[in-house]
Amino acid sequence: MFDIDPQILRNHEELSPAFADFVRFARSHPECLQPISAQGHAAVPEYFQSYPYPVQSWPAFISGPKLEELRRVTVGLCRLLKSVPQRFFNNDPGQIAEFLGYSVELVRYMLQDPNGLELAISRGDFIDTEHGPQCVEYNFSSGLGGWQLDGLQGVWLQAAWFQEFLQTAGFEVRYRSPIFELFRYATQVAILRGLGSEGRLNMALLIPPADGCTAEEIEARRSVIAHADRIYQEYLKQEGAGLQGGLVSATEDELEALPEGVFVQGKRIHVLFEYGIDLRRRDITHLFRQGKVQDFNGPAYLLINDKRLLALLSHWSDSDLFSTAERDLIQRSIPWTRVVQDDFTDFRGERKFLPDVLEDCREQLVIKKGSSSRGLDIYIGSRTPADEWQEACDRALEDGSWIVQERIQPKPLLFVADGKPTAHDVVWGHFVFGDRYAGTFLRMIPMGKVGVVNSARGAREAMLLEVSDPQPDGSRPESGSRGVKL
């Protein structure tokens, strides 16, 4: 038995009544507080027996209006970010190159149609606040983290205490698997582009060469690919309508560009995921533009994969560049964000010199490099000593590729830390493929703990379950959900 802060319980209730019910259930079931371990679990694939990131003991739940808000905001912001090259720069290579720091020639090459921007796969990182979800960054890449939790869902869903909770509940839940959704989306895109017409659709994950990797790392990589291929086979069996295919891994040097398409060791590849590399092979891009291979997310994703695009949306949110609905979406869903530079800006209703804002308002700000990832190059003002903060701000001002954001306060949620329920700060990673919401994973740290909420820096991960009312006919949730029925 443990005490529950009424306000925190309301936060759970707002996400889904099922989430609050689960917290109440956990009060009388101490087994719910035990650490989750994948090691030796029969439902966990080989690689995930030694999953490198810590996993939260509890899942999270979402339903109703909150789920609809999540979909609307994540897809809407994704669409806005993909419109930045045209909306702000009129697709002018010189202007875009000057802003992002690329060569004009490279930008011109990336902008050529088709460039893949509309079809890009992405993940936005959000914080749920008293005013709704706020986007702190958006990542456009095929190498997105978070889909790996698919391999761990059995740890939660098959736990005896979770099964007991399911049996007493009056609703249905499902896990929307991002990797399953990715194969569904990639297949549909490929078919629309005329690929797979012979009844076969092969996909490849592009990875760096094995040089410098240990034998254990190479084996882990092999197991990940094998697990992803099993999910692809499951998708084909459920929804492939007789389509055959497989998923392989390949390095850039293993890709062979022939007039009829892309091949790996003699096998035709129809879909490429630039999972671990940024492909710079113009012969492959030429085949992509001819419709002979589908390449996610190349060749143009670098045009929209920079945090400075959020600063553009924030800075111009009240301008005629946007419709009334778009302005409302930006102002509600993006915290105050600016490019770090020697210039004046509006901050909290006043016109101020940005370097002065950085110095005077350190406690309320976060700075981060526009192209950073894995929680690197991020400084939280309230948790950074003044001298270290000033040094970082000086570097950012000189570099020109950093942003500053107003730090936002997440609504705390109750999760398990060190065997007891503890209020946590949570970052929500929402996947969007093209124009389609494709699932979520959560990262969290106990409130007050110093550090960036990132898996590579010690945050725990959790899966999100979608809750719906039972179907009148007792049917399962939609096909491909990879979920469970209550």
Side-chain angles (χ1 to χ4, degrees):
M1 189 68 69
F2 53 83
D3 294 330
I4 306 174
D5 183 308
Q7 180 55 59
I8 294 182
L9 189 62
R10 281 194 291 273
N11 294 342
H12 287 255
E13 186 86 30
E14 289 174 5
L15 290 168
S16 173
F19 205 174
D21 288 346
F22 177 78
V23 173
R24 296 186 189 100
F25 173 86
R27 292 189 73 204
S28 57
H29 292 76
E31 62 270 28
C32 298
L33 304 178
Q34 296 300 313
I36 287 292
S37 174
Q39 193 168 13
H41 198 290
V44 177
E46 179 185 353
Y47 163 71
F48 297 97
Q49 302 282 347
S50 56
Y51 189 61
Y53 302 128
V55 179
Q56 174 55 232
S57 299
W58 294 354
F61 301 78
I62 193 168
S63 61
K66 199 67 179 180
L67 179 56
E68 290 308 310
E69 178 186 42
L70 181 159
R71 288 171 170 156
R72 177 182 60 81
V73 171
T74 55
V75 172
L77 286 182
C78 181
R79 187 182 297 120
L80 280 172
L81 287 164
K82 288 189 288 190
S83 77
V84 165
Q86 170 62 44
R87 191 183 302 245
F88 280 84
F89 305 106
N90 198 30
N91 279 340
D92 181 87
Q95 293 183 44
I96 296 172
E98 182 178 2
F99 181 75
L100 292 176
Y102 300 139
S103 71
V104 174
E105 193 275 336
L106 176 61
V107 173
R108 185 177 291 111
Y109 162 72
M110 290 192 289
L111 283 172
Q112 293 175 26
D113 285 327
N115 54 42
L117 287 185
E118 287 302 315
L119 302 173
I121 59 181
S122 63
R123 191 198 73 221
D125 288 346
F126 287 74
I127 293 175
D128 193 33
T129 74
E130 293 295 338
H131 306 292
Q134 296 266 300
C135 179
V136 293
E137 62 181 74
Y138 230 106
N139 305 283
F140 290 87
S141 169
S142 294
L144 300 169
W147 65 267
Q148 297 92 336
L149 284 182
D150 182 280
L152 299 176
Q153 60 174 299
V155 177
W156 286 283
L157 300 181
Q158 295 184 14
W161 51 265
F162 190 73
Q163 288 295 317
E164 182 178 349
F165 172 68
L166 297 184
Q167 290 168 9
T168 62
F171 43 77
E172 294 182 345
V173 305
R174 69 163 184 162
Y175 170 60
R176 188 187 298 266
S177 164
I179 187 66
F180 193 95
E181 295 290 338
L182 177 61
F183 291 135
R184 173 187 283 151
Y185 173 67
T187 299
Q188 292 171 356
V189 169
I191 295 299
L192 285 173
R193 296 199 72 200
L195 297 164
S197 58
E198 298 178 355
R200 189 164 190 86
L201 198 70
N202 294 320
M203 303 188 182
L205 288 176
L206 298 186
I207 58 176
D211 298 347
C213 295
T214 66
E216 291 78 10
E217 290 170 335
I218 293 173
E219 178 59 22
R221 180 186 289 178
R222 183 201 65 77
S223 297
V224 169
I225 301 298
H227 174 66
D229 181 51
R230 284 192 292 271
I231 298 175
Y232 183 42
Q233 299 306 317
E234 181 180 340
Y235 163 75
L236 291 175
K237 183 178 180 180
Q238 289 188 26
E239 302 184 25
L243 195 65
Q244 301 290 312
L247 176 75
V248 299
S249 64
T251 65
E252 181 176 348
D253 291 341
E254 290 176 316
L255 298 179
E256 185 178 8
L258 298 177
E260 59 269 33
V262 177
F263 290 78
V264 172
Q265 296 179 358
K267 178 185 293 187
R268 172 79 184 273
I269 301 298
H270 306 88
V271 176
L272 293 173
F273 299 107
E274 296 184 25
Y275 185 71
I277 63 172
D278 294 332
L279 190 63
R280 290 291 179 267
R281 293 244 329 243
R282 300 205 176 197
D283 53 350
I284 302 294
T285 299
H286 182 65
L287 291 170
F288 162 68
R289 288 177 170 149
Q290 288 182 319
K292 295 179 178 178
V293 68
Q294 174 57 40
D295 184 8
F296 295 104
N297 271 345
Y301 88 95
L302 288 176
L303 297 177
I304 55 175
N305 197 45
D306 193 296
K307 300 175 185 66
R308 284 175 288 175
L309 272 63
L310 285 176
L312 288 178
L313 297 184
S314 174
H315 184 91
W316 296 99
S317 62
D318 60 352
S319 75
D320 292 338
L321 285 167
F322 306 103
S323 69
T324 300
E326 289 171 337
R327 286 194 292 269
D328 181 69
L329 175 63
I330 295 169
Q331 291 164 7
R332 286 178 177 270
S333 307
I334 298 179
W336 179 90
T337 307
R338 296 292 186 270
V339 176
V340 177
Q341 56 188 345
D342 287 311
D343 201 356
F344 285 85
T345 190
D346 295 319
F347 181 68
R348 295 182 175 176
E350 297 183 45
R351 190 71 174 168
K352 293 187 175 183
F353 190 48
L354 185 56
D356 291 342
V357 175
L358 294 172
E359 182 177 352
D360 298 339
C361 303
R362 171 173 61 91
E363 296 281 331
Q364 291 81 47
L365 301 175
V366 177
I367 62 171
K368 57 183 78 172
K369 191 172 178 63
S371 59
S372 63
S373 61
R374 297 176 62 83
L376 302 175
D377 297 315
I378 298 177
Y379 294 85
I380 301 172
S382 61
R383 297 177 178 177
T384 305
D387 56 346
E388 184 179 344
W389 172 262
Q390 188 59 55
E391 182 180 335
C393 289
D394 290 342
R395 290 201 309 271
L397 284 163
E398 182 178 356
D399 183 271
S401 66
W402 290 58
I403 64 168
V404 55
Q405 285 182 329
E406 188 167 16
R407 189 184 178 198
I408 52 179
Q409 185 62 42
K411 291 198 297 188
L413 294 173
L414 203 64
F415 286 99
V416 179
D418 299 324
K420 59 184 179 182
T422 303
H424 280 69
D425 291 334
V426 179
V427 172
W428 300 66
H430 301 311
F431 293 89
V432 176
F433 300 154
D435 235 10
R436 179 185 309 175
Y437 168 67
T440 292
F441 86 117
L442 280 64
R443 291 155 290 167
M444 63 199 66
I445 59 173
M447 283 182 63
K449 184 177 179 181
V450 176
V452 176
V453 185
N454 186 276
S455 301
R457 300 181 67 172
R460 291 189 177 274
E461 298 181 352
M463 69 186 300
L464 180 67
L465 299 177
E466 299 177 13
V467 183
S468 60
D469 294 329
Q471 301 297 313
D473 61 357
S475 62
R476 283 186 174 272
E478 68 185 68
S479 174
S481 64
R482 292 176 59 80
V484 292
K485 177 187 175 186
L486 302 190

